[in-house]
C-alpha cells in the first residue's frame, strides 16, 4: 500500500504531466489545424477549376457546394496524415531546438509520456481515415464524378461553350459565340458516316436552343444555314435553308453510359464481394490484381498517420531546428515520397506477377520500421 506521505508527490507529478501534455497537445493541434486547412484548400483548388467554369456557364451554385461535399472525404484521406506529419515535425522540432524535451527527460518524463495524448489523437485520426477509405470516401467520389458527368441532364444549355468541341449523335459542333443562355452565333456542325468519313457540313449564322428537361430532349433551331453534302466520290453539293431543326436526345446519351460502377467508387464490403465473385468466375489475372490493389491501397493509406508519427517524431528531435521552414520542408519531402510510392505501386496493376497489391504496403513498412528504430535510439539517449 502507498504511504500517505507519497500521495502529495504523486498528485503534483500528475499535475505536472497534465500541464506538459496540455502544452504540447495545444501546439500540436494548432499546427495540425493550420496544415489541414491549407492542404485541403490547396487540393480542393486543383479540382474546383472545372466546376467554377461550369458555374460561369450557368450551372447552379448548388452544384458547386455538392461537388465540395462529395470530394472532401477523398481529399481528407491525404491531408489528414500529411498534416499529422507537418504538426509532428514543426512542434517537436521546436521543442527539441529549445531543449525542452531534454529538460523533460532530465526530470524523469519518458518520451512515451510526452507523446501519449498525441498517440491517442493519431489513432483517432487513423480510425477516421479508415472510415473514409473503407465506407464514405469511394461512393462520395462516385457522386462527384456523376455530378460532373450528368451536367447535361440538369442544365443542357450550359454545355455549349465558344471554342470547345461538342459531340452529339455522331456529329461534332463548334460555336463562335454565345449570347445569353439560349442563343448561339456562328455554328458549325460536322456529320460523319460509319467509316468516319465526312458526310455533311452545316454552317448557321444563328442557333436558338430550347430544352425539354422532362423528356431530356434538346432542340437546336438553326437559322440561315449553308448545308454541304459529300458523296462517295468526295464531290460536294451545297444547299441553303432559312431554318433547320435538330433534336438531341441527351437523356438517351446519359442512359447509354456504362451502368456498372468502377471498383474505385465501391465501398469496401462491395469491393470484397466483387473480388470473391470475380475469383470464382475466373476473371483475368490483371483485372483481379487491379481490384486487390484498390482494396490494399485504401487500407495502407488509412494507416499512414501512424507511420508518419513514428518517423516524424524522432526525425524532428534529431534535426533539432527551431526554424519552422525546416520542418515544413522535411514534411513535404517525406509526404511526397510516401504518396508517390503509393501511386507508383498502384500503377503496376498491368504487371500482376510483381504483386503490386503487396508492394503497396512497402511505404508503410519502411516508414514504420525506420521510425521505430530511430525512436528507440532517441529514447535510449
Amino acid at each position: 500500500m502507498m504511504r500517505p506521505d507519497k500521495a502529495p508527490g504523486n498528485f503534483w507529478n500528475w499535475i505536472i504531466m497534465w500541464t506538459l501534455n496540455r502544452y504540447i497537445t495545444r501546439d500540436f493541434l494548432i499546427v495540425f489545424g493550420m496544415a489541414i486547412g491549407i492542404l485541403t484548400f490547396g487540393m480542393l483548388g486543383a479540382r474546383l477549376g472545372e466546376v467554377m467554369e461550369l458555374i460561369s456557364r450557368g450551372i447552379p451554385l448548388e452544384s458547386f457546394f455538392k461537388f465540395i461535399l462529395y470530394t472532401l472525404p477523398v481529399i481528407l484521406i491525404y491531408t489528414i496524415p500529411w498534416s499529422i506529419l507537418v504538426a509532428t515535425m514543426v512542434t517537436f522540432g521546436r521543442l527539441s531546438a529549445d531543449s525542452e524535451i531534454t529538460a523533460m527527460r532530465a526530470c524523469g518524463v519518458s518520451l512515451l509520456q510526452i507523446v501519449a495524448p498525441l498517440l491517442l489523437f493519431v489513432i483517432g485520426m487513423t480510425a477516421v481515415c479508415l472510415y473514409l477509405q473503407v465506407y464514405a470516401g469511394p461512393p462520395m467520389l462516385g457522386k462527384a464524378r456523376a455530378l460532373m458527368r450528368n451536367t447535361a441532364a440538369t442544365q443542357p444549355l450550359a454545355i455549349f461553350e465558344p471554342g470547345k468541341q461538342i459531340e452529339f449523335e455522331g456529329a461534332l459542333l463548334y460555336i463562335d459565340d454565345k449570347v445569353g443562355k439560349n442563343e448561339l452565333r456562328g455554328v458549325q456542325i460536322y456529320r460523319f458516316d460509319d467509316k468516319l468519313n465526312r458526310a455533311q457540313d452545316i454552317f448557321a449564322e444563328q442557333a436558338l436552343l430550347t430544352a425539354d428537361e422532362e423528356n431530356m430532349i434538346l432542340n437546336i433551331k438553326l437559322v440561315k444555314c449553308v448545308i454541304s453534302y459529300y458523296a462517295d466520290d468526295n464531290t460536294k453539293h451545297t444547299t441553303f435553308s432559312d431554318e433547320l431543326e435538330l433534336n438531341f436526345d441527351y437523356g438517351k446519351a446519359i442512359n447509354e453510359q456504362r451502368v456498372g460502377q468502377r471498383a474505385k467508387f465501391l465501398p469496401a464490403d462491395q469491393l470484397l464481394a466483387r473480388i470473391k465473385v470475380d475469383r470464382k468466375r475466373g476473371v483475368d489475372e490483371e483485372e483481379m490484381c487491379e481490384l486487390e490493389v484498390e482494396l490494399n491501397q485504401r487500407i495502407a493509406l488509412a494507416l499512414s498517420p501512424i507511420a508518419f508519427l513514428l518517423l516524424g517524431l524522432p526525425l524532428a528531435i534529431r534535426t533539432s531546428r527551431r526554424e519552422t521552414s525546416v520542418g515544413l520542408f522535411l514534411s513535404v519531402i517525406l509526404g511526397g515520397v510516401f504518396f508517390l510510392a503509393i501511386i507508383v505501386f498502384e500503377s503496376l496493376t498491368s504487371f500482376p506477377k510483381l504483386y503490386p497489391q503487396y508492394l503497396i504496403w512497402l511505404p508503410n513498412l519502411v516508414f514504420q520500421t525506420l521510425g521505430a528504430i530511430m525512436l528507440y535510439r532517441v529514447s535510449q539517449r
Side-chain angles (χ1 to χ4, degrees), residues 41 44-56 58-72 75 143-144 147-148 151 154-155:
F41 179 80
L44 269 175
R47 295 170 175 261
L48 291 182
E50 185 178 357
V51 182
M52 295 300 293
E53 181 182 353
L54 289 173
I55 289 176
S56 67
I59 298 301
L61 190 61
E62 178 185 1
S63 299
F64 173 80
F65 294 108
K66 281 185 177 181
F67 184 82
I68 293 178
L69 178 64
Y70 294 155
T71 309
L72 195 57
I75 291 177
K143 289 182 179 181
L147 178 67
M148 302 302 296
T151 295
T154 56
Q155 294 288 331

Side-chain angles (χ1 to χ4, degrees), residues 42-296:
M43 294 188 72
L44 269 175
R47 295 170 175 261
L48 291 182
E50 185 178 357
V51 182
M52 295 300 293
E53 181 182 353
L54 289 173
I55 289 176
S56 67
R57 287 156 54 182
I59 298 301
L61 190 61
E62 178 185 1
S63 299
F64 173 80
F65 294 108
K66 281 185 177 181
F67 184 82
I68 293 178
L69 178 64
Y70 294 155
T71 309
L72 195 57
V74 177
I75 291 177
L76 288 175
I77 291 166
Y78 293 90
T79 59
I80 287 176
W82 213 332
S83 300
I84 287 174
L85 179 60
V86 170
T88 302
M89 295 296 299
V90 171
T91 302
F92 285 92
R94 183 188 61 79
L95 290 174
S96 180
D98 292 342
S99 301
E100 292 183 63
I101 292 181
T102 303
M104 293 178 197
R105 296 181 63 189
C107 294
V109 180
S110 68
L111 200 56
L112 180 60
Q113 289 176 303
I114 295 173
V115 301
L118 302 183
L119 186 59
L120 293 176
F121 174 77
V122 170
I123 291 174
M125 288 296 100
T126 301
V128 171
C129 289
L130 195 60
Y131 170 78
L132 293 176
Q133 278 283 53
V134 168
Y135 181 73
M140 296 288 274
L141 181 61
K143 289 182 179 181
R145 297 292 174 87
L147 178 67
M148 302 302 296
R149 186 181 65 243
N150 296 336
T151 295
T154 56
Q155 294 288 331
L157 305 182
I159 66 176
F160 294 92
E161 186 70 11
K164 291 193 175 183
Q165 171 182 301
I166 302 166
E167 183 176 355
F168 68 99
E169 296 184 351
L172 297 179
L173 183 145
Y174 299 86
I175 62 174
D176 292 335
D177 194 15
K178 185 176 181 180
V179 182
K181 295 182 178 180
N182 303 330
E183 183 180 349
L184 308 178
R185 299 284 178 84
V187 179
Q188 182 73 55
I189 300 176
Y190 300 96
R191 292 186 179 275
F192 303 89
D193 58 20
D194 295 338
K195 297 180 180 179
L196 298 182
N197 295 318
R198 186 167 55 175
Q200 186 184 61
D201 288 351
I202 302 175
F203 175 79
E205 293 184 4
Q206 183 185 22
L208 301 176
L209 307 175
T210 54
D212 181 355
E213 295 186 9
E214 182 178 352
N215 297 312
M216 292 189 178
I217 301 294
L218 180 65
N219 177 266
I220 306 174
K221 182 179 180 180
L222 303 175
V223 180
K224 296 181 181 180
C225 309
V226 179
I227 308 170
S228 300
Y229 299 92
Y230 295 87
D232 293 338
D233 57 359
N234 206 30
T235 56
K236 179 180 178 180
H237 305 280
T238 302
T239 61
F240 302 90
S241 176
D242 289 334
E243 291 186 359
L244 179 65
E245 290 193 8
L246 302 175
N247 291 320
F248 173 36
D249 188 353
Y250 62 88
K252 177 182 177 182
I254 292 173
N255 292 331
E256 285 179 348
Q257 293 179 5
R258 187 174 64 171
V259 176
Q261 280 188 294
R262 292 175 55 188
K264 189 176 183 180
F265 304 141
L266 294 175
D269 54 346
Q270 295 182 24
L271 182 58
L272 275 171
R274 177 176 289 188
I275 290 174
K276 292 179 180 179
V277 170
D278 287 353
R279 186 175 288 120
K280 290 180 179 179
R281 290 171 50 211
V283 173
D284 179 73
E285 184 179 5
E286 184 175 326
E287 187 174 343
M288 286 299 304
C289 180
E290 182 179 352
L291 295 175
E292 292 177 358
V293 166
E294 174 66 24
L295 181 61
N296 282 274

